[in-house]
Amino acid sequence: MRALHSLVENKGSALCKALIAHCQATVGGILCDLYTVNNILSGYTKCGEIWNTMISGYVNSGKLERAWYFLESMRQCGLEVDAYTFSSMLKGVASAGRLDLGQQLHCLIFKHGYGRNVYAGSALLDMYAKCERVEDAYVVLQHMPQRNSVSWNALISGFAQSGDRETAFWLFDSMEHEGVKPDDGTFAPLLTLLNDHEFFKLTAQIHAKIMKRECGSIEDAKKLFDSIVLRDIVTWNSMLAAYLVHGEKDSAFRLFIDMWWLGIEPDFYTYTSVISACFEEARKNLGKSLHALVIKRGLERSLPISNAFIAMYIKLGNGSMDDAIHVFKSMQFKDRVSWNSMLTGYSQVFGEYKTTM
């Protein structure tokens, strides 16, 4: 600690000496002297880290104008502006929403040769995203030779904030395809886009990915689940989704039964998850039992649950189309999913009819 304090004192002293020499040269009218100018520049260069520290400090305290003044002073003094300088400045610009300053920094980044630097690039991308210029942010990403999770997260968050669900999830898939592991900063903005019943399956997949990322395997996920004393419905649904994503349907059914035994009231997410596990002939009876349970609980009017049953009966085939039609006709409200499912079912029936002729 004493060594660090000494280092700061030495750098502070060096900056002070450089400033005094600069002032004296200005007052004395000898700034035209090459030897004097070189000595002053050398003094400033030796304490370059102090400048970056000052810029970072002003940015963190919300004083963007002062930080910008220090940046301009660095350039006027001939000090090296590095990726750390740009990252700090872009952070302040993004917080203040100063797109005009951000665009100037973009030019400086390329002028100083940091156009392909991952840290400067990530900060630049984040700035554009937070200034609601997601298209510009995407262009920055395309030109980055290395994209880390910070880069992808900033862009995903930008498109999520603009409400562009399709692009946000396309970027998420691209991120995983490139081998970059998602983290909390990836999942948080994506989950804000899934606040509707029709995105249940996608929500379940994201929940399962979160469980898998945090636990490493379904076995570890189960251990974590068992260690939680007070489990809410989200916890149960997440574990249920994890089982189904990993193909462990029997474990999912056992979990569903455990919920009933423990008095945990399933919601429509729970039911639609379990129904999706009954798309095989071997589980046809389970599917029908679930249907009876849903009717008994008075949930047959739920749109996502009804859609799930229609999909189940159509996938089962073997004369189950009549059951799908019955569910469809009993629905008070129908959405695009309902109609598309029925069209798919009728096309399958028609195809089977043609093959038998």
Side-chain angles (χ1 to χ4, degrees), residues 32-235:
C32 295
D33 180 67
L34 183 61
Y35 177 77
T36 302
V37 171
N38 284 339
N39 278 338
I40 293 171
L41 288 176
S42 176
Y44 278 133
T45 302
K46 289 178 182 177
C47 55
E49 291 180 26
I50 288 291
W51 289 86
N52 278 341
T53 302
M54 292 296 294
I55 287 175
S56 178
Y58 279 124
V59 166
N60 291 333
S61 61
K63 298 178 180 179
L64 179 61
E65 299 298 335
R66 292 296 300 168
W68 189 267
Y69 169 78
F70 264 80
L71 173 66
E72 290 295 323
S73 298
M74 284 184 73
R75 296 180 61 221
Q76 289 173 10
C77 293
L79 293 175
E80 180 66 28
V81 183
D82 56 21
Y84 182 85
T85 317
F86 288 123
S87 297
S88 295
M89 282 301 310
L90 285 166
K91 177 183 175 183
V93 168
S95 298
R98 290 290 303 274
L99 178 63
D100 57 327
L101 296 181
Q103 290 172 326
Q104 291 181 52
L105 287 170
H106 194 166
C107 295
L108 289 174
I109 285 171
F110 277 92
K111 183 178 179 180
H112 287 267
Y114 288 95
R116 299 175 65 83
N117 181 276
V118 65
Y119 300 107
S122 294
L124 185 62
L125 189 156
D126 181 63
M127 181 276 297
Y128 276 125
K130 288 181 177 175
C131 289
E132 300 181 357
R133 295 288 289 265
V134 287
E135 290 80 9
D136 291 331
Y138 179 63
V139 171
V140 173
L141 182 82
Q142 286 182 307
H143 288 86
M144 290 174 66
Q146 290 180 305
R147 281 89 71 103
N148 57 19
S149 61
V150 176
S151 317
W152 286 102
N153 290 351
L155 193 57
I156 289 171
S157 178
F159 277 99
Q161 288 176 5
S162 67
D164 191 339
R165 183 183 300 104
E166 183 178 349
T167 304
F169 276 93
W170 175 77
L171 288 168
F172 174 62
D173 290 337
S174 301
M175 173 184 181
E176 289 197 305
H177 182 73
E178 198 168 281
V180 180
K181 293 183 178 180
D183 54 27
D184 292 344
T186 317
F187 293 120
L190 290 175
L191 288 171
T192 64
L193 298 171
L194 304 175
N195 56 354
D196 200 294
H197 297 331
E198 65 178 296
F199 305 116
F200 164 70
K201 288 186 178 179
L202 198 52
T203 305
Q205 291 174 16
I206 294 296
H207 274 156
K209 285 179 181 292
I210 292 172
M211 295 286 286
K212 185 177 180 180
R213 180 186 66 84
E214 291 182 351
C215 307
S217 69
I218 195 65
E219 291 79 14
D220 291 332
K222 183 64 168 64
K223 290 178 183 177
L224 177 63
F225 177 80
D226 290 339
S227 69
I228 300 174
V229 179
L230 297 174
R231 305 170 190 149
D232 59 12
I233 190 63
V234 175
T235 308

Side-chain angles (χ1 to χ4, degrees), residues 203-311:
T203 305
Q205 291 174 16
I206 294 296
H207 274 156
K209 285 179 181 292
I210 292 172
M211 295 286 286
K212 185 177 180 180
R213 180 186 66 84
E214 291 182 351
C215 307
S217 69
I218 195 65
E219 291 79 14
D220 291 332
K222 183 64 168 64
K223 290 178 183 177
L224 177 63
F225 177 80
D226 290 339
S227 69
I228 300 174
V229 179
L230 297 174
R231 305 170 190 149
D232 59 12
I233 190 63
V234 175
T235 308
W236 285 92
N237 285 343
S238 296
M239 192 66 227
L240 189 65
Y243 276 135
L244 292 174
V245 168
H246 285 79
E248 297 193 15
K249 295 181 179 179
D250 290 336
S251 297
F253 281 118
R254 285 196 294 270
L255 190 72
F256 178 71
I257 293 170
D258 287 343
M259 290 179 68
W260 276 101
W261 277 106
L262 293 171
I264 306 297
E265 183 67 30
D267 60 11
F268 73 90
Y269 286 120
T270 318
Y271 283 113
T272 50
S273 289
V274 179
I275 294 167
S276 70
C278 300
F279 286 7
E280 301 168 1
E281 180 64 27
R283 292 186 171 85
K284 182 175 181 178
N285 290 334
L286 280 172
K288 286 186 172 294
S289 297
L290 278 171
H291 199 167
L293 178 61
V294 164
I295 293 172
K296 183 180 179 180
R297 303 296 295 178
L299 298 171
E300 69 274 15
R301 292 184 179 275
S302 168
L303 181 61
I305 292 177
S306 294
N307 283 339
F309 277 125
I310 291 174

